[in-house]
Amino acid sequence: MTTTAGLIADGVLIDGEAAIATTVDPSTGATVGAFRGATRSQLDRIAGLAADAEDRFRHTGAAVRAALLEDIALRMEDAGDEIVDLAVAESGLSRARMVSELGRTTGQLRMFAAALEEGGIGHRRADSTGGPTPVPLLLRTLAVGPVAVFAASNFPLAFSTAGGDVASALAAGCPVIVKAHSAHVATSVRVARAIADAVRASGLPGGVFGHLIGDREIGTGLVAHPAIRAVGFTGSRGGGQALARVAAERPHPIPVFAEMSSVNPVFVLPGSATEAVADGFVASLTLGGGQFCTNPGLVFVPAGAAGDAFVARSARLVEDAAAQTMLTGAIARAYSSSVEDACRRGAQLVASGIAAEPRNAPAAHLLEIDLAAFQEDARWMDEMFGAAGLVVRYPGAAQLVAAAEALDGQLTATIWHEGADDEATLRALLPVLERKAGRLISNGWPTGVAVSPAMVHGGPSPATTDARFTAVGTLAADRFLRPVAYQGFPESLLEGVLGADTNS
Amino acid sequence: MTTTAGLIADGVLIDGEAAIATTVDPSTGATVGAFRGATRSQLDRIAGLAADAEDRFRHTGAAVRAALLEDIALRMEDAGDEIVDLAVAESGLSRARMVSELGRTTGQLRMFAAALEEGGIGHRRADSTGGPTPVPLLLRTLAVGPVAVFAASNFPLAFSTAGGDVASALAAGCPVIVKAHSAHVATSVRVARAIADAVRASGLPGGVFGHLIGDREIGTGLVAHPAIRAVGFTGSRGGGQALARVAAERPHPIPVFAEMSSVNPVFVLPGSATEAVADGFVASLTLGGGQFCTNPGLVFVPAGAAGDAFVARSARLVEDAAAQTMLTGAIARAYSSSVEDACRRGAQLVASGIAAEPRNAPAAHLLEIDLAAFQEDARWMDEMFGAAGLVVRYPGAAQLVAAAEALDGQLTATIWHEGADDEATLRALLPVLERKAGRLISNGWPTGVAVSPAMVHGGPSPATTDARFTAVGTLAADRFLRPVAYQGFPESLLEGVLGADTNS
């Protein structure tokens, strides 16, 4: 057991003084770490440090910020074994997954470093006011200020302490304060130490990066704090909406980028309702215990013979699926009760996976509900977080398009199609799905989100709180930038006054 | 008196059935127009038409949208005399101002048309998912869907029925529903007719443009309507915040771009505290009866002899300022009571303009409060909408920077400076003001917002509800676009399926 009294030293020295909390290995129940949370006055202090660092970091050149991100990646690699050990212990996820997620995390940091070096973060436009006495007008994007990031349970590395929200906020020139996820605090503290070391080595103020352990009240206090100018969150719909409400009720509201819930509908068109596609579906459904934001939890399959083989094959594969330890006991219990609830509401249990020996490892499930029932009750669109898929059989293209129209906002929508008839249906579906999702996938699977400049990981409510932005890819930095116009400043004055170029 | 029973015909035919309301000439009190407002079921119908038009308009090519905007501009010019007559009668503003504002409005429509033709609205990025089996990834921005626009009282043309919000939303590919401002409904109906004619001539669905007359309840109902996906608003802080609350409380919240209140602080540094600069200040302060969002309502002037000449000259000019009819009786009364309130709270009345003969034409005022009192009470930052300026004298640069730090969010901040000493102060002020305002002005005045691609008309709360966007300039279209990624779609399928290129 790791005992960390307080949070991290170095630059953002804060000794926790609140009650001790522990993290456990969900597969054994063994305690992994024990931590004291931050008090309100410690929150104030860490927020004050971020505010103090704000002006300097906003005007730190792109090259310095790129070097900081690169150094964070290197320090995480140096501490890789330790970080992976802690993440495996606290998450119940496999070592292979955690090694891969560490690579994704450092790769993400380096993607933003490269984008900074190439001038791909933010933008500027030069122009003039026109009219009889034109003066120069320069628009450029500036960091919004300190960003609060709430770490995700399901990506202890890639969407947590040095994850996409943090990397994109630092790339934008915003100080960041991470609130550790209560399920993996030891991992978070270790990663935070690597970041704090990198900040110290860079010569930037310690307030560029802060880290907090705390309960819900501390989290709410962070969002309400006047120093905070934007919020990044990955988690439940209830959690994201609660933070959005706190942010909206501030005297000066701030944006919240909450990535919340999505059932990631898959539309299997008749030409594609094959066993091979069923193999891909169940692999995506059960990947990582189904604990991905992009898990395909809803699949539309042709009625009758055209879809029977797909469903039969999917059922057989789910029956063979091994149970996987879920991230926390609470998540495992919520998963099981969401499946039980669906059955109580009339879903048919088509198949269940291998019953579990280890703790917190419920079986995978395949359920089915008929189209009419699906369309009558919006609760069928509620996410069952875990490896549970809901099959809906559709008689024809018209009914499928109508079902798509009834969907809530989603991170992704996937269409499997083959041949001219399917393409006609795809043409009818696409305009509807463009309104519903942030990413549309043709003949692929939504899990395995590429970290790339053209990625969109976002979508209309309730998938996220703001469909105009993405949480993955270089565009994620736009969440933390705002345009400012400089009117009538001669170039010489701008150079002298503004110092190093902030973005682009 | 013009009587329009109902709203507009053509495409979005709606006959008003609610109680009749009238508009008046604020300088005479004479009735200009009488109108029946929309009922709830008429709102539903018009919103339904917008939703019906959404998919088609989103996929209408940039050239068609550019031609629509150009045609709206032409039709407004054709009806120019009639539109200007109505706007003058309903606003109390001068004919010269209205002619100029008509030109600004058509110029704005053409700026978006040109930007569409040049690929300057929205963007796309092509990429691949990478990994062992890479597939193509295309990110492009798509229209968010129907936009509700609340017309502004102070720009009956340029921020109203065919104003910047409408032009930018149409450029983005979003259907628009305008809620007419109750002070200039006849103007709004005439402009709406021109737009509806242009939409009909384009062959696009009538639902691309809707127009509503109604009370506060209809406005609230519009923001809450499920078909509406974003809101543009220019008006009071209370009004904007109320709409933002309605939008946040929807089952699926939507963004509200409200441009609300700003005192547009001016920092006169010692080297610039000249009579010539005072001339510019009072001209900007009294322009259009002080009824501009960017009116310089707060001016920091050096204490002692360095600033005395500036204040004395400003006072003399304000004393000579002619009273101007304000937009409405309610606005004139609010102006007078905000000045009385400031005096009651301890402001010294430095100068008052010529007492008014016409109705609703209160005098200009110059007030002063000392720095300590200013910093003690946040109400000194409340906008006095109209030609009232508040002078604050400062002893030195350090105190001036501290005062800037205490400011709320603003649309603009202006620095007048001359020489090396002033430049040192400017260097200290600028990082603070970058956090406070959307546009920084060197040796100029905030009124007269250039409509240009590098303009930012926006700023931190309470100036607007979202500092990451601008309401003026081509970037204004970004408010109504969201990114969508297409993964694994072969180019041939995208061409065929997506039809005309939407943005860029």
Short mmCIF file of all heavy atoms in Angstrom, two decimals, chain A residues 55 58-59 125 127 252 257 427 430-431 434-435 437 439-440 442 452-453 461 468 474 482 485-487 496-497, chain B residues 55 58-59 127 252 257 427 430-431 434-435 437 439-440 442 452-453 461 468 474 482 485-487 496-497:
data_model
loop_
_atom_site.label_atom_id
_atom_site.label_comp_id
_atom_site.label_asym_id
_atom_site.label_seq_id
_atom_site.Cartn_x
_atom_site.Cartn_y
_atom_site.Cartn_z
N ASP A 55 -0.87 34.91 -16.80
CA ASP A 55 -0.36 35.86 -17.80
C ASP A 55 0.96 35.38 -18.38
O ASP A 55 1.17 35.45 -19.60
CB ASP A 55 -0.18 37.25 -17.19
CG ASP A 55 -1.51 37.96 -16.95
OD1 ASP A 55 -2.54 37.45 -17.42
OD2 ASP A 55 -1.51 39.01 -16.28
N ARG A 58 0.41 32.32 -20.69
CA ARG A 58 -0.27 32.69 -21.94
C ARG A 58 0.72 33.26 -22.94
O ARG A 58 0.59 33.06 -24.14
CB ARG A 58 -1.36 33.73 -21.62
CG ARG A 58 -2.16 34.17 -22.81
CD ARG A 58 -3.36 35.03 -22.41
NE ARG A 58 -3.01 36.36 -22.02
CZ ARG A 58 -3.17 36.88 -20.80
NH1 ARG A 58 -3.70 36.15 -19.82
NH2 ARG A 58 -2.83 38.12 -20.53
N HIS A 59 1.72 33.97 -22.42
CA HIS A 59 2.70 34.60 -23.32
C HIS A 59 3.98 33.79 -23.48
O HIS A 59 4.96 34.30 -24.02
CB HIS A 59 3.00 36.01 -22.83
CG HIS A 59 1.89 36.96 -23.16
ND1 HIS A 59 1.58 37.26 -24.46
CD2 HIS A 59 1.00 37.62 -22.40
CE1 HIS A 59 0.56 38.08 -24.47
NE2 HIS A 59 0.18 38.31 -23.24
N ARG A 125 -5.18 36.33 -37.75
CA ARG A 125 -5.58 36.95 -39.01
C ARG A 125 -5.18 38.42 -38.94
O ARG A 125 -5.47 39.08 -37.94
CB ARG A 125 -7.10 36.95 -39.17
CG ARG A 125 -7.75 35.62 -39.13
CD ARG A 125 -9.28 35.80 -39.20
NE ARG A 125 -9.89 34.53 -39.57
CZ ARG A 125 -11.09 34.40 -40.08
NH1 ARG A 125 -11.86 35.46 -40.28
NH2 ARG A 125 -11.57 33.22 -40.41
N ASP A 127 -5.47 42.24 -40.81
CA ASP A 127 -6.48 42.91 -41.62
C ASP A 127 -6.38 44.40 -41.31
O ASP A 127 -5.44 44.84 -40.65
CB ASP A 127 -7.84 42.36 -41.15
CG ASP A 127 -8.94 42.59 -42.15
OD1 ASP A 127 -8.76 43.36 -43.09
OD2 ASP A 127 -10.00 41.98 -41.96
N HIS A 252 -20.07 34.94 -13.29
CA HIS A 252 -19.60 34.95 -14.68
C HIS A 252 -19.45 33.50 -15.13
O HIS A 252 -18.44 32.85 -14.83
CB HIS A 252 -18.27 35.71 -14.79
CG HIS A 252 -18.41 37.14 -14.39
ND1 HIS A 252 -19.24 38.01 -15.07
CD2 HIS A 252 -17.89 37.85 -13.37
CE1 HIS A 252 -19.20 39.20 -14.49
NE2 HIS A 252 -18.39 39.12 -13.45
N PHE A 257 -16.73 21.53 -20.83
CA PHE A 257 -16.66 20.52 -21.88
C PHE A 257 -16.76 19.17 -21.21
O PHE A 257 -15.76 18.63 -20.76
CB PHE A 257 -15.37 20.67 -22.68
CG PHE A 257 -15.23 22.04 -23.24
CD1 PHE A 257 -14.47 22.99 -22.60
CD2 PHE A 257 -15.94 22.39 -24.37
CE1 PHE A 257 -14.38 24.28 -23.10
CE2 PHE A 257 -15.87 23.68 -24.87
CZ PHE A 257 -15.09 24.62 -24.23
N ARG A 427 -27.61 6.79 -47.86
CA ARG A 427 -27.90 8.17 -48.29
C ARG A 427 -29.04 8.79 -47.50
O ARG A 427 -29.07 9.98 -47.25
CB ARG A 427 -28.28 8.20 -49.77
CG ARG A 427 -27.12 8.09 -50.71
CD ARG A 427 -27.63 7.92 -52.15
NE ARG A 427 -26.55 7.51 -53.03
CZ ARG A 427 -25.68 8.35 -53.59
NH1 ARG A 427 -25.80 9.65 -53.39
NH2 ARG A 427 -24.71 7.91 -54.35
N LEU A 430 -27.66 9.26 -43.60
CA LEU A 430 -26.54 10.15 -43.28
C LEU A 430 -26.96 11.56 -42.85
O LEU A 430 -26.44 12.07 -41.84
CB LEU A 430 -25.57 10.18 -44.47
CG LEU A 430 -24.10 10.28 -44.11
CD1 LEU A 430 -23.67 9.24 -43.11
CD2 LEU A 430 -23.25 10.20 -45.36
N PRO A 431 -27.89 12.20 -43.54
CA PRO A 431 -28.28 13.56 -43.09
C PRO A 431 -28.85 13.55 -41.67
O PRO A 431 -28.68 14.52 -40.94
CB PRO A 431 -29.34 13.99 -44.11
CG PRO A 431 -29.14 13.11 -45.29
CD PRO A 431 -28.59 11.81 -44.76
N GLU A 434 -25.81 12.92 -39.25
CA GLU A 434 -24.96 14.12 -39.13
C GLU A 434 -25.45 15.03 -38.01
O GLU A 434 -24.66 15.72 -37.38
CB GLU A 434 -24.96 14.91 -40.45
CG GLU A 434 -24.08 14.32 -41.53
CD GLU A 434 -24.25 15.06 -42.85
OE1 GLU A 434 -25.30 15.70 -43.05
OE2 GLU A 434 -23.33 14.99 -43.67
N ARG A 435 -26.76 15.06 -37.81
CA ARG A 435 -27.31 15.88 -36.73
C ARG A 435 -27.15 15.24 -35.36
O ARG A 435 -27.27 15.89 -34.33
CB ARG A 435 -28.81 16.12 -36.96
CG ARG A 435 -29.10 17.21 -37.96
CD ARG A 435 -30.58 17.52 -37.98
NE ARG A 435 -31.29 16.77 -39.00
CZ ARG A 435 -32.20 15.84 -38.78
NH1 ARG A 435 -32.56 15.53 -37.54
NH2 ARG A 435 -32.78 15.22 -39.78
N ALA A 437 -24.56 12.88 -34.32
CA ALA A 437 -23.27 12.38 -33.82
C ALA A 437 -22.12 13.25 -34.27
O ALA A 437 -22.20 13.98 -35.26
CB ALA A 437 -23.05 10.94 -34.30
N ARG A 439 -19.05 11.83 -34.91
CA ARG A 439 -18.22 11.05 -35.83
C ARG A 439 -19.07 9.98 -36.48
O ARG A 439 -19.79 9.27 -35.79
CB ARG A 439 -17.04 10.42 -35.08
CG ARG A 439 -16.12 9.58 -35.97
CD ARG A 439 -14.77 9.28 -35.30
NE ARG A 439 -14.92 8.68 -33.99
CZ ARG A 439 -14.54 7.44 -33.67
NH1 ARG A 439 -13.94 6.66 -34.56
NH2 ARG A 439 -14.72 6.98 -32.44
N LEU A 440 -18.99 9.89 -37.79
CA LEU A 440 -19.74 8.89 -38.56
C LEU A 440 -18.74 7.90 -39.12
O LEU A 440 -17.70 8.29 -39.66
CB LEU A 440 -20.51 9.59 -39.68
CG LEU A 440 -21.40 10.74 -39.21
CD1 LEU A 440 -22.04 11.45 -40.40
CD2 LEU A 440 -22.47 10.23 -38.26
N SER A 442 -18.00 4.48 -41.45
CA SER A 442 -18.44 3.57 -42.50
C SER A 442 -17.66 2.27 -42.39
O SER A 442 -16.42 2.27 -42.42
CB SER A 442 -18.16 4.23 -43.87
OG SER A 442 -18.18 3.27 -44.91
N SER A 452 -5.72 12.14 -33.80
CA SER A 452 -5.27 12.71 -35.07
C SER A 452 -5.93 14.05 -35.30
O SER A 452 -7.00 14.34 -34.74
CB SER A 452 -5.61 11.72 -36.20
OG SER A 452 -6.56 12.26 -37.08
N PRO A 453 -5.31 14.91 -36.10
CA PRO A 453 -5.86 16.26 -36.29
C PRO A 453 -7.28 16.30 -36.84
O PRO A 453 -7.99 17.27 -36.61
CB PRO A 453 -4.87 16.90 -37.28
CG PRO A 453 -3.58 16.19 -37.03
CD PRO A 453 -3.98 14.77 -36.73
N SER A 461 -25.66 17.08 -27.35
CA SER A 461 -26.17 16.67 -26.05
C SER A 461 -27.09 15.48 -26.21
O SER A 461 -27.89 15.46 -27.14
CB SER A 461 -26.93 17.84 -25.41
OG SER A 461 -27.64 17.45 -24.28
N ARG A 468 -19.72 21.80 -30.45
CA ARG A 468 -18.87 22.55 -31.37
C ARG A 468 -17.38 22.28 -31.17
O ARG A 468 -16.55 22.92 -31.80
CB ARG A 468 -19.15 24.05 -31.23
CG ARG A 468 -20.54 24.41 -31.77
CD ARG A 468 -20.95 25.73 -31.21
NE ARG A 468 -20.82 25.68 -29.76
CZ ARG A 468 -20.65 26.73 -28.99
NH1 ARG A 468 -20.57 27.93 -29.52
NH2 ARG A 468 -20.57 26.60 -27.70
N THR A 474 -6.02 17.59 -32.38
CA THR A 474 -5.43 18.90 -32.11
C THR A 474 -6.48 20.00 -31.96
O THR A 474 -6.24 20.99 -31.27
CB THR A 474 -4.45 19.30 -33.23
OG1 THR A 474 -5.08 19.09 -34.49
CG2 THR A 474 -3.18 18.47 -33.18
N ARG A 482 -9.52 31.83 -27.00
CA ARG A 482 -10.53 32.81 -27.40
C ARG A 482 -9.86 33.84 -28.29
O ARG A 482 -8.68 34.12 -28.15
CB ARG A 482 -11.18 33.47 -26.18
CG ARG A 482 -10.20 34.01 -25.15
CD ARG A 482 -10.92 34.66 -23.97
NE ARG A 482 -11.16 36.05 -24.23
CZ ARG A 482 -10.35 37.06 -23.83
NH1 ARG A 482 -9.27 36.81 -23.15
NH2 ARG A 482 -10.65 38.30 -24.11
N ALA A 485 -8.83 40.81 -30.65
CA ALA A 485 -8.39 41.69 -31.75
C ALA A 485 -7.60 42.86 -31.18
O ALA A 485 -7.98 43.42 -30.16
CB ALA A 485 -9.60 42.20 -32.53
N TYR A 486 -6.50 43.19 -31.86
CA TYR A 486 -5.66 44.33 -31.48
C TYR A 486 -5.82 45.36 -32.60
O TYR A 486 -5.42 45.10 -33.73
CB TYR A 486 -4.20 43.89 -31.36
CG TYR A 486 -3.99 42.81 -30.31
CD1 TYR A 486 -4.29 41.48 -30.60
CD2 TYR A 486 -3.52 43.12 -29.05
CE1 TYR A 486 -4.13 40.50 -29.64
CE2 TYR A 486 -3.34 42.14 -28.09
CZ TYR A 486 -3.66 40.83 -28.39
OH TYR A 486 -3.51 39.85 -27.44
N GLN A 487 -6.41 46.48 -32.27
CA GLN A 487 -6.73 47.49 -33.28
C GLN A 487 -5.82 48.69 -33.12
O GLN A 487 -5.73 49.28 -32.04
CB GLN A 487 -8.19 47.90 -33.15
CG GLN A 487 -8.63 48.97 -34.14
CD GLN A 487 -10.12 49.25 -34.04
OE1 GLN A 487 -10.93 48.35 -33.84
NE2 GLN A 487 -10.50 50.51 -34.19
N GLY A 496 7.03 44.21 -29.49
CA GLY A 496 7.65 44.54 -28.21
C GLY A 496 6.76 44.19 -27.04
O GLY A 496 7.21 43.63 -26.04
N VAL A 497 5.49 44.48 -27.18
CA VAL A 497 4.59 44.32 -26.04
C VAL A 497 4.16 42.89 -25.84
O VAL A 497 4.09 42.39 -24.73
CB VAL A 497 3.35 45.22 -26.24
CG1 VAL A 497 2.30 44.91 -25.19
CG2 VAL A 497 3.75 46.68 -26.18
N ASP B 55 -31.95 19.96 -43.04
CA ASP B 55 -31.03 19.07 -43.76
C ASP B 55 -30.71 19.61 -45.16
O ASP B 55 -29.57 19.59 -45.59
CB ASP B 55 -31.62 17.65 -43.88
CG ASP B 55 -31.59 16.90 -42.57
OD1 ASP B 55 -30.94 17.38 -41.62
OD2 ASP B 55 -32.22 15.83 -42.48
N ARG B 58 -28.44 22.73 -44.91
CA ARG B 58 -27.08 22.38 -44.48
C ARG B 58 -26.26 21.89 -45.67
O ARG B 58 -25.05 22.13 -45.74
CB ARG B 58 -27.16 21.30 -43.40
CG ARG B 58 -25.82 20.89 -42.84
CD ARG B 58 -25.96 19.99 -41.62
NE ARG B 58 -26.37 18.64 -41.94
CZ ARG B 58 -27.51 18.07 -41.58
NH1 ARG B 58 -28.40 18.75 -40.88
NH2 ARG B 58 -27.79 16.83 -41.92
N HIS B 59 -26.92 21.20 -46.59
CA HIS B 59 -26.21 20.63 -47.73
C HIS B 59 -26.31 21.48 -48.99
O HIS B 59 -25.94 21.03 -50.06
CB HIS B 59 -26.68 19.20 -47.99
CG HIS B 59 -26.12 18.24 -47.00
ND1 HIS B 59 -24.78 17.97 -46.95
CD2 HIS B 59 -26.69 17.54 -46.00
CE1 HIS B 59 -24.55 17.11 -45.96
NE2 HIS B 59 -25.69 16.84 -45.37
N ASP B 127 -7.27 13.41 -43.21
CA ASP B 127 -6.27 12.74 -42.39
C ASP B 127 -6.54 11.24 -42.50
O ASP B 127 -7.34 10.80 -43.31
CB ASP B 127 -6.49 13.23 -40.95
CG ASP B 127 -5.30 13.00 -40.06
OD1 ASP B 127 -4.39 12.26 -40.45
OD2 ASP B 127 -5.30 13.57 -38.97
N HIS B 252 -31.83 19.22 -23.55
CA HIS B 252 -30.56 19.26 -24.26
C HIS B 252 -30.18 20.72 -24.45
O HIS B 252 -30.69 21.40 -25.35
CB HIS B 252 -30.67 18.55 -25.61
CG HIS B 252 -30.99 17.10 -25.45
ND1 HIS B 252 -30.14 16.23 -24.81
CD2 HIS B 252 -32.06 16.37 -25.81
CE1 HIS B 252 -30.68 15.03 -24.78
NE2 HIS B 252 -31.85 15.08 -25.37
N PHE B 257 -25.46 32.99 -27.73
CA PHE B 257 -24.47 34.03 -27.95
C PHE B 257 -25.16 35.35 -27.68
O PHE B 257 -25.82 35.90 -28.56
CB PHE B 257 -23.93 33.96 -29.37
CG PHE B 257 -23.35 32.61 -29.65
CD1 PHE B 257 -24.07 31.65 -30.33
CD2 PHE B 257 -22.09 32.29 -29.18
CE1 PHE B 257 -23.55 30.40 -30.54
CE2 PHE B 257 -21.56 31.04 -29.38
CZ PHE B 257 -22.29 30.09 -30.07
N ARG B 427 2.64 48.36 -21.43
CA ARG B 427 3.16 47.00 -21.28
C ARG B 427 2.62 46.32 -20.03
O ARG B 427 2.42 45.11 -20.00
CB ARG B 427 4.69 47.01 -21.18
CG ARG B 427 5.41 47.21 -22.48
CD ARG B 427 6.91 47.42 -22.25
NE ARG B 427 7.54 47.90 -23.45
CZ ARG B 427 8.00 47.10 -24.42
NH1 ARG B 427 7.91 45.79 -24.29
NH2 ARG B 427 8.53 47.59 -25.52
N LEU B 430 -1.45 45.74 -20.71
CA LEU B 430 -1.93 44.88 -21.78
C LEU B 430 -2.25 43.44 -21.34
O LEU B 430 -3.31 42.91 -21.70
CB LEU B 430 -0.95 44.92 -22.95
CG LEU B 430 -1.57 44.85 -24.33
CD1 LEU B 430 -2.69 45.83 -24.54
CD2 LEU B 430 -0.51 45.02 -25.39
N PRO B 431 -1.37 42.78 -20.56
CA PRO B 431 -1.70 41.40 -20.16
C PRO B 431 -2.98 41.34 -19.34
O PRO B 431 -3.73 40.36 -19.42
CB PRO B 431 -0.50 40.98 -19.32
CG PRO B 431 0.60 41.92 -19.70
CD PRO B 431 -0.06 43.21 -20.07
N GLU B 434 -5.95 41.97 -21.85
CA GLU B 434 -6.19 40.81 -22.72
C GLU B 434 -7.17 39.84 -22.06
O GLU B 434 -7.93 39.16 -22.76
CB GLU B 434 -4.88 40.06 -22.98
CG GLU B 434 -3.98 40.72 -24.01
CD GLU B 434 -2.64 40.03 -24.11
OE1 GLU B 434 -2.23 39.35 -23.14
OE2 GLU B 434 -1.99 40.18 -25.16
N ARG B 435 -7.13 39.76 -20.73
CA ARG B 435 -8.07 38.88 -20.03
C ARG B 435 -9.46 39.49 -19.92
O ARG B 435 -10.42 38.78 -19.64
CB ARG B 435 -7.55 38.60 -18.62
CG ARG B 435 -6.49 37.53 -18.55
CD ARG B 435 -6.19 37.19 -17.11
NE ARG B 435 -5.08 37.94 -16.58
CZ ARG B 435 -5.14 38.83 -15.60
NH1 ARG B 435 -6.31 39.11 -15.03
NH2 ARG B 435 -4.07 39.47 -15.19
N ALA B 437 -11.05 41.89 -22.19
CA ALA B 437 -11.78 42.41 -23.34
C ALA B 437 -11.52 41.58 -24.59
O ALA B 437 -10.51 40.89 -24.71
CB ALA B 437 -11.40 43.87 -23.60
N ARG B 439 -11.51 43.13 -27.66
CA ARG B 439 -10.78 43.96 -28.61
C ARG B 439 -10.02 45.03 -27.85
O ARG B 439 -10.59 45.70 -26.98
CB ARG B 439 -11.75 44.61 -29.61
CG ARG B 439 -11.06 45.50 -30.67
CD ARG B 439 -11.99 45.84 -31.84
NE ARG B 439 -13.26 46.38 -31.42
CZ ARG B 439 -13.71 47.62 -31.69
NH1 ARG B 439 -12.97 48.44 -32.42
NH2 ARG B 439 -14.88 48.01 -31.26
N LEU B 440 -8.75 45.17 -28.18
CA LEU B 440 -7.89 46.17 -27.54
C LEU B 440 -7.55 47.21 -28.58
O LEU B 440 -7.20 46.87 -29.72
CB LEU B 440 -6.62 45.49 -27.02
CG LEU B 440 -6.88 44.29 -26.10
CD1 LEU B 440 -5.58 43.62 -25.70
CD2 LEU B 440 -7.65 44.74 -24.85
N SER B 442 -5.50 50.75 -29.61
CA SER B 442 -4.42 51.67 -29.34
C SER B 442 -4.72 52.99 -30.03
O SER B 442 -4.92 53.03 -31.26
CB SER B 442 -3.11 51.07 -29.89
OG SER B 442 -2.11 52.06 -30.03
N SER B 452 -15.04 43.20 -40.56
CA SER B 452 -13.86 42.70 -41.26
C SER B 452 -13.48 41.33 -40.70
O SER B 452 -13.82 40.99 -39.56
CB SER B 452 -12.72 43.71 -41.09
OG SER B 452 -11.67 43.19 -40.34
N PRO B 453 -12.77 40.54 -41.49
CA PRO B 453 -12.45 39.17 -41.04
C PRO B 453 -11.64 39.10 -39.74
O PRO B 453 -11.70 38.10 -39.04
CB PRO B 453 -11.65 38.60 -42.22
CG PRO B 453 -12.16 39.35 -43.41
CD PRO B 453 -12.41 40.75 -42.89
N SER B 461 -17.55 37.39 -19.98
CA SER B 461 -18.76 37.73 -19.21
C SER B 461 -18.45 38.91 -18.29
O SER B 461 -17.40 38.94 -17.68
CB SER B 461 -19.18 36.51 -18.40
OG SER B 461 -20.18 36.84 -17.47
N ARG B 468 -15.46 32.97 -26.56
CA ARG B 468 -14.69 32.28 -27.59
C ARG B 468 -15.16 32.60 -29.00
O ARG B 468 -14.68 31.99 -29.96
CB ARG B 468 -14.72 30.77 -27.34
CG ARG B 468 -13.93 30.38 -26.10
CD ARG B 468 -14.36 29.03 -25.64
NE ARG B 468 -15.82 29.03 -25.50
CZ ARG B 468 -16.57 27.97 -25.54
NH1 ARG B 468 -16.03 26.80 -25.76
NH2 ARG B 468 -17.86 28.05 -25.37
N THR B 474 -16.23 37.70 -40.21
CA THR B 474 -16.55 36.39 -40.79
C THR B 474 -16.48 35.26 -39.78
O THR B 474 -17.16 34.25 -39.92
CB THR B 474 -15.62 36.07 -41.98
OG1 THR B 474 -14.27 36.31 -41.58
CG2 THR B 474 -15.93 36.93 -43.18
N ARG B 482 -20.43 23.15 -36.32
CA ARG B 482 -19.81 22.16 -35.44
C ARG B 482 -19.03 21.18 -36.30
O ARG B 482 -19.39 20.92 -37.45
CB ARG B 482 -20.87 21.43 -34.60
CG ARG B 482 -22.05 20.90 -35.37
CD ARG B 482 -23.06 20.16 -34.49
NE ARG B 482 -22.71 18.77 -34.35
CZ ARG B 482 -23.21 17.78 -35.10
NH1 ARG B 482 -24.09 18.03 -36.05
NH2 ARG B 482 -22.85 16.54 -34.91
N ALA B 485 -16.68 14.34 -38.01
CA ALA B 485 -15.66 13.53 -38.68
C ALA B 485 -16.33 12.36 -39.38
O ALA B 485 -17.25 11.75 -38.85
CB ALA B 485 -14.63 13.01 -37.67
N TYR B 486 -15.86 12.10 -40.60
CA TYR B 486 -16.34 10.97 -41.40
C TYR B 486 -15.19 9.98 -41.49
O TYR B 486 -14.15 10.29 -42.08
CB TYR B 486 -16.75 11.44 -42.80
CG TYR B 486 -17.84 12.49 -42.77
CD1 TYR B 486 -17.54 13.81 -42.47
CD2 TYR B 486 -19.18 12.15 -43.01
CE1 TYR B 486 -18.54 14.77 -42.40
CE2 TYR B 486 -20.17 13.10 -42.95
CZ TYR B 486 -19.85 14.41 -42.65
OH TYR B 486 -20.84 15.36 -42.57
N GLN B 487 -15.36 8.82 -40.89
CA GLN B 487 -14.27 7.84 -40.81
C GLN B 487 -14.56 6.65 -41.71
O GLN B 487 -15.62 6.03 -41.61
CB GLN B 487 -14.12 7.38 -39.36
CG GLN B 487 -13.03 6.33 -39.15
CD GLN B 487 -12.83 5.99 -37.67
OE1 GLN B 487 -12.91 6.88 -36.82
NE2 GLN B 487 -12.59 4.72 -37.38
N GLY B 496 -20.63 11.41 -53.51
CA GLY B 496 -21.99 11.06 -53.90
C GLY B 496 -22.99 11.33 -52.80
O GLY B 496 -24.07 11.86 -53.05
N VAL B 497 -22.62 10.99 -51.59
CA VAL B 497 -23.58 11.07 -50.49
C VAL B 497 -23.75 12.48 -49.98
O VAL B 497 -24.85 12.93 -49.70
CB VAL B 497 -23.12 10.15 -49.34
CG1 VAL B 497 -23.96 10.39 -48.11
CG2 VAL B 497 -23.21 8.70 -49.77
#
